[in-house]
Amino acid sequence: MARRRGLTICTVPGCPAYTDRGRCDEHRREAEQARGSARQRGYGTQHENRFRPGVLAKHPTCVCTETHHGHGEPCGQPSVHADHHPLSRRELVAQRLDPNDPARGRGLCGPCHAKETAAAQPGGWNA
């Protein structure tokens, strides 16, 4: 039988709403709108046609070796995300380097990509 979590107060300071996870529905919608679309965040045609396919061709299986992900050798699951590494997309743009160069990425599976994003951007995707 699935166990249900109790309700907690929204994580946005001053919001009295109860929710079953993090932010209340209203603040979750606001955060998504502030985040912008993938295109607004810089993931356009070059990302879709050059970076992502190039990275996934180079790394068809997850290359994550982070011990905080629960493994010390390459994960080996099928790669589904093209992750900028070792510099983030923001860092590449700030240094005026091509963020769509497949050499600047690695292939990760879904769980490893989520854990890496949570570790690298603890304030969330918009941090």
Side-chain angles (χ1 to χ4, degrees), residues 61-76:
T61 59
C62 182
V63 298
C64 176
T65 59
E66 304 296 325
T67 55
H68 64 273
H69 293 185
H71 49 78
E73 55 191 46
C75 171

Side-chain angles (χ1 to χ4, degrees), residues 9-17 22-24 27 30:
I9 294 178
C10 176
T11 57
V12 173
C15 179
R23 297 178 180 142
C24 66
H27 286 113
E30 287 176 7

Side-chain angles (χ1 to χ4, degrees), residues 10-69:
C10 176
T11 57
V12 173
C15 179
Y18 285 95
T19 181
D20 60 350
R21 59 181 181 199
R23 297 178 180 142
C24 66
D25 290 341
E26 178 183 347
H27 286 113
R28 198 172 302 117
R29 272 191 303 275
E30 287 176 7
E32 272 303 307
Q33 287 176 342
R35 184 174 175 218
S37 69
R39 295 233 187 258
Q40 291 168 328
R41 293 189 316 270
Y43 296 100
T45 304
Q46 285 290 312
H47 176 81
E48 292 173 13
N49 296 335
R50 186 169 153 233
F51 180 73
R52 189 172 190 283
V55 170
L56 296 181
K58 181 174 70 170
H59 298 142
T61 59
C62 182
V63 298
C64 176
T65 59
E66 304 296 325
T67 55
H68 64 273
H69 293 185

Side-chain angles (χ1 to χ4, degrees), residues 88-102:
S88 71
R89 180 177 187 82
R90 284 189 193 111
E91 292 168 327
L92 291 169
V93 170
Q95 293 180 22
R96 296 181 185 219
L97 298 171
D98 180 5
N100 295 308
D101 180 353

